[in-house]
Amino acid sequence: MPNARATRLSRRGILAAGGALGLGAVLAACGDDKGKSSASDKGTAAAESGPWSFKDDRGQTAKADRTPSNIVAFVGVAAALHDYGVEVKGVFGPTKTKDGKADVQAGDLDISKVTVLGNEWGQFNIEKYAALTPDLLVSTMFDDAGTLWYVPEESKKKILAVGAPGVGISVYDRQMTEPLQRMLELAKSLGADTTGAKIAQAKKRFEDAAARLRAAAKAKPDIKVLAGSASQDIFYVSGSNLSIDLEYFKALGVNFVEPSPSVLKASGGWFENLSWENVDKYRADVIMMDNRTSAIQPADITEATWKELPAVKAGQVIARNPEPILSYDKCAPLLEDLAKAIETAKKAG
């Protein structure tokens, strides 16, 4: 699940990005120079061509008189576009860790070369956004209401008032292969060469990894896998519906721990909350743990109940990114790691 911690999951009571003092002045200052600034920007390969349009997963068609080159995107989207050779100017969402290094969700982005508009939930600097003279805003969507991930609801109108068309790629209640294809289509529309050897190789690696995972799950159907996430007071157990990775892995035959629908209902279908005292509620042979910086990592979990879990004692814990970077290059290893874990797993009690 997206699990931008449980409070964020009400996204939908999303935190405000703060005031937009001075926005009018910023817009006035940069508005007249927008065309000039964009024209001088190298941006993406096809920036000089036009007109441009792209129909997103809300059914909305973003349009521009030229291929966007001043792109602002959620950091995971920016990382995926980077893998396809499309660079962005600004990002929002978890980009830098506390020590200034690239967050896991930044992928191979050179974070020193992008403007970070907000690094945490609810943060989105509208003044910096306007100063970039953006001609496209892109994010993922974790609901069926068209909510752009990490674009604060309380400042959304001011963000949209800057004038850049928006694109939403859905990562809600579908298998990973669908948003992967959609991101590739978006990259192509933005000038990426999607026929090159690098992308072909990455896609083949992904397909081979899927075949390997299917074979592993078929060979060991009794290996039970749990998808979890740790916070100070709560251990989250994800259901296998809604999340693009878990839905796809399940379709390939992976045997997941499944909280009951009635329990999942409290989180909109995403996860079950367990106290650390009850973390042993489900038996699992392999545990996939949320590797995002918002979650406590396995090596830092001090709870005795965690350490006594059979899968933990057996060393059968692997990382999972509930917000996969949507390029074949980044998704293939996710399948490979799970396939290897199942292939080598032993029944853990």
Side-chain angles (χ1 to χ4, degrees):
M1 58 140 273
N3 199 35
R5 282 286 68 83
T7 54
R8 303 176 191 175
L9 198 51
S10 67
R11 10 188 170 258
R12 342 247 231 220
I14 296 182
L15 301 176
L21 297 177
L23 175 61
V26 173
L27 292 176
C30 70
D32 291 342
D33 293 331
K34 182 173 181 180
K36 179 180 178 182
S37 171
S38 298
S40 63
D41 196 335
K42 297 299 180 183
T44 18
E48 297 82 11
S49 64
W52 173 89
S53 68
F54 184 85
K55 187 174 182 179
D56 74 0
D57 292 338
R58 298 170 296 181
Q60 298 180 13
T61 300
K63 297 180 180 180
D65 57 7
R66 52 179 302 177
T67 303
S69 58
N70 289 352
I71 304 168
V72 173
F74 173 69
V75 62
V77 171
L81 292 175
H82 170 80
D83 285 350
Y84 292 130
V86 177
E87 304 301 338
V88 307
K89 295 300 176 62
V91 298
F92 52 94
T95 305
K96 296 180 180 180
T97 59
K98 291 181 180 179
D99 59 4
K101 296 181 180 179
D103 189 277
V104 64
Q105 291 184 254
D108 294 332
L109 276 179
D110 183 343
I111 61 173
S112 69
K113 294 183 178 179
V114 293
T115 298
V116 181
L117 304 178
N119 199 60
E120 297 179 6
W121 185 261
Q123 294 180 350
F124 195 112
N125 190 309
I126 306 176
E127 291 81 10
K128 285 186 178 181
Y129 176 61
L132 291 173
T133 59
D135 48 19
L136 183 63
L137 175 68
V138 191
S139 191
T140 48
M141 301 182 298
F142 279 93
D143 59 29
D144 56 6
T147 305
L148 296 179
W149 191 230
Y150 269 81
V151 174
E153 282 291 306
E154 294 184 26
S155 52
K156 181 176 66 175
K157 289 183 179 179
K158 294 175 182 177
I159 293 168
L160 296 179
V162 174
V167 165
I169 300 296
S170 180
V171 288
Y172 175 75
D173 194 16
R174 60 201 63 205
Q175 295 180 25
M176 181 187 288
T177 47
E178 184 175 342
L180 266 174
Q181 180 61 33
R182 292 292 285 145
M183 190 63 70
L184 185 65
E185 291 169 358
L186 175 61
K188 182 178 180 180
S189 80
L190 294 171
D193 178 7
T194 59
T195 63
K198 182 179 179 181
I199 293 177
Q201 291 168 1
K203 189 171 183 179
K204 184 179 187 306
R205 180 184 175 187
F206 177 88
E207 293 168 347
D208 289 346
R212 178 182 174 185
L213 180 54
R214 186 189 297 276
K218 184 176 181 180
K220 291 188 172 182
D222 58 337
I223 293 298
K224 201 80 171 177
V225 179
L226 181 148
S229 183
S231 70
Q232 184 174 351
D233 300 315
I234 298 172
F235 183 78
Y236 303 88
V237 179
S238 292
S240 63
N241 293 325
L242 303 186
S243 297
I244 60 171
D245 60 335
L246 302 186
E247 283 204 15
Y248 186 50
F249 300 159
K250 181 172 64 175
L252 293 174
V254 175
N255 183 8
F256 280 107
V257 165
E258 298 283 4
S260 69
S262 60
V263 171
L264 292 173
K265 186 177 180 180
S267 68
W270 291 99
F271 57 80
E272 176 179 359
N273 295 349
L274 294 178
S275 66
W276 284 104
E277 290 78 9
N278 297 315
V279 73
D280 60 353
K281 177 178 179 178
Y282 298 105
R283 185 195 64 77
D285 305 299
V286 173
I287 300 178
M288 304 172 67
M289 288 295 289
D290 187 344
N291 71 348
R292 294 171 299 174
T293 52
S294 58
I296 298 175
Q297 297 308 299
D300 299 320
I301 298 175
T302 60
E303 301 290 342
T305 48
W306 162 261
K307 295 179 179 180
E308 288 301 314
L309 292 178
V312 175
K313 294 174 73 173
Q316 295 175 175
V317 178
I318 65 171
R320 174 202 173 210
N321 187 346
E323 297 181 58
I325 294 172
L326 295 172
S327 71
Y328 289 103
D329 181 71
K330 294 300 183 291
C331 286
L334 307 181
L335 277 71
E336 293 168 345
D337 291 348
L338 181 54
K340 181 179 179 181
I342 293 174
E343 289 165 353
T344 59
K346 297 179 180 179
K347 291 297 293 181

